Amino acid sequence: MTEAETAAARAGSTPYVDPARVRYRKRHAVRSAAIGILSLLVTTAIVVAVVVRTPGWPAVQETFFNPEEFAASFPELVEAFWLNIRIFLIAEPLILIVGLSVALVRRLRNPLFLPLRLLATVYVDVFRGVPTLLVILLLGFGVPALDLQGAPDDVLVWGIVALVLSYGAYVAEVFRAGIDSVHPSQRMAARSLGLSEWQTNRYVVLPQAVRNVTPPLLNDFISLQKDTALVSVLGPIEVLRQAQIDASFNFNYTPYVAAACLFIALTIPMTRFADWLQARQRRQRGAGT
Amino acid sequence: MSRGGDMSTVQVTAGVPMLQVTDVWKAFGNESVLRGISLDVRRHEVVVLIGASGSGKSTLLRCINGLEAVDAGTILLDGEIDVTAFKADLDKVRRRVGIVFQSYNLFPHLTVLDNVTLGPRKVLRESASSTQDRARALLARFGLLEKAGDYPDRLSGGQQQRVAIVRALAMSPEILLFDEITSALDPLLVGEVLDAVRELKSEGLTILMATHEMSFARDVADRVCFLNRGVVCEEGPPQQVLGAPREEATRAFLAHLLG
Ligand SMILES: Nc1ncnc2c1ncn2[C@@H]1O[C@H](COP(=O)(O)OP(=O)(O)OP(=O)(O)O)[C@@H](O)[C@H]1O
Ligand SMILES: [Mg+2]
């Protein structure tokens, strides 16, 4: 570094780092990456070598990881998986609406709404307690059997309704916890500005509550992606049902593994997104909290 | 800077105190905090509340803002609005009474500018552009303009507290209540917040503030009220109450403060 450069750095407002230090940091970063990759390769090689050498491996590979079976069933599975994705895409927004509404209803103070509040409480208690699969069976087979006028007789519709009811109860509790996590002084500050109860919720409490519960909500949604497979008990050919058909056809379980891969391919990006969101929130709030 | 009430109302209500607290009682459970307290604040007056911790300063301020319901007594705003009426329109009261808390209570999910404009936009229903202009002008006056786009947790305590003052001010309140607004601050930052209060006094705002900053009270207050056992035990100009207190309780409190 020349005298002139030092003087320029001192005069300006741009940060200055010693070039030798820059080179050192770069070298260090490269070496860390290299060691990591090497360690990963070696470990993988050892694990693979050990697994492949176990006596049972050929049979396992034949039954679960059969390349021909995989290739043969995959296109159909992908097509069937599209139904899972559609179930998820329809159910998710409905669950958010049900969950948020129920959470808000449970906070209403006006005595006029007592029946509504009781209803919301009973709903959450019931649907959190009953297994999702049971709700799907009850609604999917039960309601069409009633032969109700005007009620859709598509089992898929009832399967989705069952998912929404079951997950809605969970999500309502998540939202309620989020609302409770906003410090009362925030409510007080909002009211002291003259904001009404409703405005206070809308502009001050809910935005903070939703932010606080976004990670657990994403978690519930990852779980919902998996539980779309439960609808298979009602008959629709979604990915699990398709895999079942393929597997029973030639007594090979590779289609199940292929279906599992599809679910994983969907949940991993979602999990990473949840992580990223959480990290961003931490950054936004500053290091202090 | 605009102040609540135009010239005509100033004249019509001349002589009527801005705030009239009469015989107010308030208990929490069995603990009687306010025991028939009475207090007036006149327009453009700066009144300082002092008293031991737990003497009810915060409780009184919260009652005036309608954040806490009184058990008995009346609180009249501008001689016309009864905060303590059974069916009082508290949102209307709060539009005219600003309050700033010890713990700032800024909204962490909103930028400084949005913190300041939320009230005017949603409560006074002013247009976004006019509130923003006004908010910027206010922020500039308190040396906070360059922080307008930042989130509160990026600010120092003193800056946050000044934003809280600006947020209350943006509603053009007729009276400002300050509840120990400097006691959560680093001693180095107290000065900048107190300077902001001095600025408000010079503008003629009506202020009722609880504080432990005796030198500041001596300097800025028009009147000092010493709260003891739920009533105003002694009140008067700062030189008298702080310099030559008549009551034994006041002397004991001041002696205790000085260590
Ligand atoms: N919401 C509440 N519930 C129960 N008790 C309360 C409540 N608010 C205040 N108190 C009690 O009322 C008394 C007066 O409290 P207050 O906060 O008004 O005192 P203060 O004069 O502001 O004290 P400080 O100087 O410490 O701020 C205290 O004993 C406190 O414990
Ligand atoms: Mg207090």
Side-chain angles (χ1 to χ4, degrees):
Chain A
M1 175 126 183
T2 66
E3 290 287 314
E5 275 172 334
T6 324
R10 268 188 234 293
S13 62
T14 48
Y16 167 68
V17 186
D18 185 350
R21 200 167 281 275
V22 172
R23 281 194 299 280
Y24 170 77
R25 283 179 188 167
K26 205 177 271 170
R27 258 205 321 277
H28 188 76
V30 168
R31 207 173 48 215
S32 295
I35 292 176
I37 290 169
L38 197 70
S39 157
L40 187 66
L41 287 177
V42 169
T43 314
T44 314
I46 292 174
V47 169
V48 167
V50 168
V51 166
V52 169
R53 258 162 232 226
T54 23
W57 172 247
V60 170
Q61 189 188 20
E62 169 56 30
T63 327
F64 292 100
F65 303 103
N66 185 322
E68 290 94 63
E69 285 291 339
F70 194 98
S73 59
F74 201 67
E76 271 179 340
L77 288 176
V78 169
E79 204 168 306
F81 193 55
W82 173 230
L83 180 59
N84 293 68
I85 294 180
R86 274 180 299 167
I87 294 174
F88 172 74
L89 289 179
I90 295 169
E92 177 174 313
L94 293 176
I95 289 168
L96 281 177
I97 293 169
V98 169
L100 187 57
S101 313
V102 169
L104 287 177
V105 163
R106 291 190 75 175
R107 288 197 62 96
L108 292 176
R109 303 242 181 72
N110 194 325
L112 190 67
F113 298 122
L114 182 64
L116 215 61
R117 233 167 56 207
L118 278 179
L119 185 72
T121 310
V122 170
Y123 160 72
V124 170
D125 285 352
V126 168
F127 282 87
R128 251 189 348 162
V130 180
T132 308
L133 182 58
L134 210 160
V135 180
I136 291 176
L137 287 171
L138 256 179
L139 289 183
F141 289 135
V143 177
L146 289 178
D147 233 356
L148 288 177
Q149 278 272 312
D153 52 3
D154 187 348
V155 287
L156 192 56
V157 172
W158 291 108
I160 293 175
V161 170
L163 281 177
V164 169
L165 287 177
S166 199
Y167 271 84
Y170 273 105
V171 169
E173 286 302 279
V174 172
F175 274 128
R176 200 160 72 115
I179 291 171
D180 288 345
S181 74
V182 177
H183 199 270
S185 63
Q186 285 288 308
R187 202 176 273 281
M188 186 172 72
R191 295 309 298 270
S192 79
L193 284 175
L195 267 73
S196 67
E197 176 81 34
W198 188 84
Q199 287 173 323
T200 299
N201 277 324
R202 166 72 183 75
Y203 298 109
V204 175
V205 177
L206 278 183
Q208 294 183 59
V210 168
R211 210 168 266 217
N212 291 350
V213 300
T214 306
L217 274 185
L218 283 173
N219 222 16
D220 278 350
F221 284 141
I222 290 168
S223 170
L224 173 67
Q225 291 178 351
K226 296 186 294 181
D227 278 356
T228 53
L230 292 178
V231 175
S232 67
V233 296
L234 300 177
I237 314 280
E238 50 69 67
V239 72
L240 177 57
R241 169 59 45 130
Q242 182 66 47
Q244 217 168 9
I245 293 170
D246 291 351
S248 58
F249 203 63
N250 25 6
F251 305 106
N252 188 290
Y253 296 103
T254 305
Y256 282 130
V257 174
C261 290
L262 286 171
F263 278 110
I264 292 171
L266 192 63
T267 50
I268 284 183
M270 190 100 161
T271 316
R272 290 293 155 272
F273 176 66
D275 289 350
W276 174 81
L277 212 63
Q278 230 168 335
R280 197 188 65 164
Q281 263 178 31
R282 255 200 310 274
R283 269 203 309 278
Q284 265 180 3
R285 280 183 201 172
T289 44
Chain B
M1 120 115 234
S2 71
R3 206 177 299 140
D6 50 27
M7 283 315 288
S8 63
T9 53
V10 170
Q11 273 155 16
V12 172
T13 58
V16 178
M18 191 65 239
L19 174 72
Q20 253 176 312
V21 176
T22 315
D23 197 19
V24 163
W25 292 74
K26 174 73 188 175
F28 294 104
N30 279 330
E31 190 195 354
S32 196
V33 178
L34 302 179
R35 309 176 51 81
I37 192 170
S38 298
L39 175 85
D40 286 356
V41 180
R42 287 185 292 275
R43 199 178 284 278
H44 308 318
E45 196 177 23
V46 174
V47 175
V48 164
L49 291 173
I50 59 172
S53 182
S55 58
K57 304 180 295 291
S58 300
T59 305
L60 175 64
L61 294 178
R62 285 213 295 270
C63 286
I64 295 170
N65 196 266
L67 289 169
E68 206 76 78
V70 304
D71 293 335
T74 56
I75 298 175
L76 269 186
L77 257 188
D78 210 7
E80 52 173 18
I81 303 180
D82 184 359
V83 181
T84 50
F86 292 149
K87 294 199 163 181
D89 180 354
L90 292 180
D91 289 341
K92 189 170 160 195
V93 168
R94 291 172 188 145
R95 251 169 275 166
R96 305 172 61 158
V97 180
I99 186 163
V100 180
F101 307 94
Q102 174 178 341
S103 50
Y104 337 136
N105 299 348
L106 295 178
F107 305 130
H109 63 299
L110 299 178
T111 61
V112 165
L113 187 66
D114 289 341
N115 261 279
V116 176
T117 57
L118 183 68
R121 268 188 299 136
K122 300 304 171 191
V123 178
L124 306 179
R125 308 218 169 272
E126 291 171 11
S127 76
S129 65
S130 81
T131 54
Q132 283 196 3
D133 292 347
R134 230 157 46 82
R136 278 182 205 288
L138 279 175
L139 287 170
R141 267 210 8 237
F142 290 90
L144 292 161
L145 189 54
E146 59 201 58
K147 302 291 177 191
D150 285 0
Y151 285 89
D153 52 13
R154 290 291 167 85
L155 273 53
S156 75
Q159 289 167 337
Q160 290 191 47
Q161 192 57 291
R162 283 182 288 148
V163 172
I165 293 173
V166 169
R167 179 173 72 178
L169 219 49
M171 296 293 289
S172 309
E174 290 162 47
I175 178 168
L176 273 168
L177 311 176
F178 291 154
D179 190 1
E180 292 190 29
I181 55 175
T182 57
S183 46
L185 294 178
D186 201 303
L188 285 172
L189 302 175
V190 168
E192 62 185 69
V193 171
L194 293 182
D195 283 344
V197 178
R198 275 194 193 94
E199 163 100 13
L200 297 177
K201 177 186 162 78
S202 72
E203 307 241 325
L205 263 97
T206 311
I207 296 172
L208 176 59
M209 68 186 292
T211 186
H212 288 305
E213 299 284 336
M214 292 306 149
S215 58
F216 177 73
R218 192 171 291 130
D219 187 15
V220 169
D222 295 310
R223 195 145 50 86
V224 173
C225 297
F226 170 60
L227 256 65
N228 191 33
R229 297 172 173 276
V231 294
V232 175
C233 167
E234 178 164 2
E235 66 175 304
Q239 307 85 307
Q240 184 253 301
V241 177
L242 302 175
R246 295 197 188 98
E247 301 289 331
E248 183 52 41
T250 319
R251 274 197 288 274
F253 170 73
L254 291 173
H256 180 75
L257 260 195
L258 297 175

